[in-house]
Amino acid sequence: DVVLTQTPHSLSVTPGQPASMSCKSSHSALHSDGKTYFYWYLQKPGQSPQLLIYEASNRFSGVPDRFAGSGSGTDFTLKISRVEAEDVGVYYCMQRYSFGQGTKLEIK
Amino acid sequence: EVQLVQSGAEVKKPGESLKISCRASGYSFTTSWIAWVRQMPGKGLEWMGNIFPADSETIYSPAFQGQVTISADKSISTAFLQWNSLKASDTAMYYCARRSSLDYWGQGTLVTVSS
């Protein structure tokens, strides 16, 4: 089974400042087809999760360009260039249907 | 517009059976996997299993194999998640989501099991 470890557990950021979070996997996300099947989701308070990033670095439809996913193999990062109030919630990484435990983003 | 609309909240007693649904629209239902994801109160996300509606092929997480049944009815573009005998520990929010990327999610169905 894939084990995903997210850090930090929580993050408190001033609006307009950047934020960064990490997800480390126990198994490489690189598939034999050359694609990296790694995803990031945001679950806003009281809402369903929503897909932000697919295949490690591609923004899903409608996701603002302040969100950027990077990484390869077993180490991945999600960065928000300028945090906005609407970005609060829990961020989850996912690989092969295993989820990380989440990083909670709060606004200072 | 892709939409997954789930059935409403349920309150059940231990030992009762339950079947919840996820109705898809805005795309060809038979061409994409549907996944079910559990979120227990205050906890994270857990993948339960998938179904491919075209042929009803199912894959279950080992943690949920034998505990639930996933099915689909192509004629009404709807996937289902069912329990034969609920336990208090099944109390959770259940989400359906499309494709292996989980690109679109339903609004969730809250299942409460209490005596």
Side-chain angles (χ1 to χ4, degrees):
Chain A
D1 278 8
V2 174
V3 177
L4 299 174
T5 303
Q6 291 188 241
T7 55
H9 176 68
S10 64
L11 209 46
S12 184
V13 182
T14 301
Q17 293 301 301
S20 179
M21 60 194 75
S22 169
C23 186
K24 293 188 187 299
S25 175
S26 61
H27 291 69
S28 175
L30 178 63
H31 193 271
S32 56
D33 65 6
K35 293 183 179 180
T36 296
Y37 292 101
F38 194 88
Y39 306 87
W40 290 96
Y41 302 86
L42 166 59
Q43 186 173 31
K44 296 182 179 182
Q47 295 187 20
S48 304
Q50 58 188 88
L51 176 64
L52 294 176
I53 302 290
Y54 65 96
E55 293 172 18
S57 60
N58 299 289
R59 275 188 303 277
F60 186 55
S61 174
V63 174
D65 61 7
R66 64 178 181 276
F67 289 92
S70 63
S72 62
T74 60
D75 290 353
F76 298 89
T77 300
L78 178 68
K79 293 183 179 178
I80 310 172
S81 58
R82 293 173 305 280
V83 168
E84 297 188 5
E86 66 180 24
D87 301 336
V88 298
V90 181
Y91 290 78
Y92 294 98
C93 56
M94 192 273 283
Q95 179 187 341
R96 282 196 244 162
Y97 298 115
S98 288
F99 292 93
Q101 78 276 29
T103 291
K104 186 174 184 178
L105 176 66
E106 299 173 327
I107 297 293
K108 276 186 186 173
Chain B
E1 179 194 7
V2 174
Q3 283 195 309
L4 298 175
V5 178
Q6 298 185 229
S7 48
E10 301 274 1
V11 179
K12 291 289 189 179
K13 290 182 166 40
E16 291 186 332
S17 62
L18 176 65
K19 192 173 188 178
I20 63 174
S21 66
C22 169
R23 179 170 49 86
S25 62
Y27 73 100
S28 177
F29 180 64
T30 55
T31 60
S32 297
W33 289 85
I34 291 285
W36 286 95
V37 176
R38 183 176 78 174
Q39 188 168 39
M40 298 178 77
K43 301 298 184 183
L45 305 171
E46 302 172 89
W47 171 68
M48 302 175 73
N50 288 2
I51 188 164
F52 192 66
D55 58 8
S56 288
E57 178 184 354
T58 52
I59 305 171
Y60 290 94
S61 161
F64 293 94
Q65 178 84 48
Q67 308 303 309
V68 296
T69 301
I70 295 171
S71 60
D73 185 337
K74 291 186 291 190
S75 69
I76 54 172
S77 298
T78 301
F80 302 95
L81 177 66
Q82 70 179 81
W83 296 260
N84 289 335
S85 181
L86 286 159
K87 302 185 281 284
S89 57
D90 292 318
T91 294
M93 182 73 82
Y94 293 88
Y95 296 101
C96 61
R98 190 185 76 151
R99 292 183 173 166
S100 56
S101 57
L102 309 181
D103 57 358
Y104 289 93
W105 294 64
Q107 82 278 18
T109 296
L110 180 62
V111 174
T112 303
V113 184
S114 174
S115 54

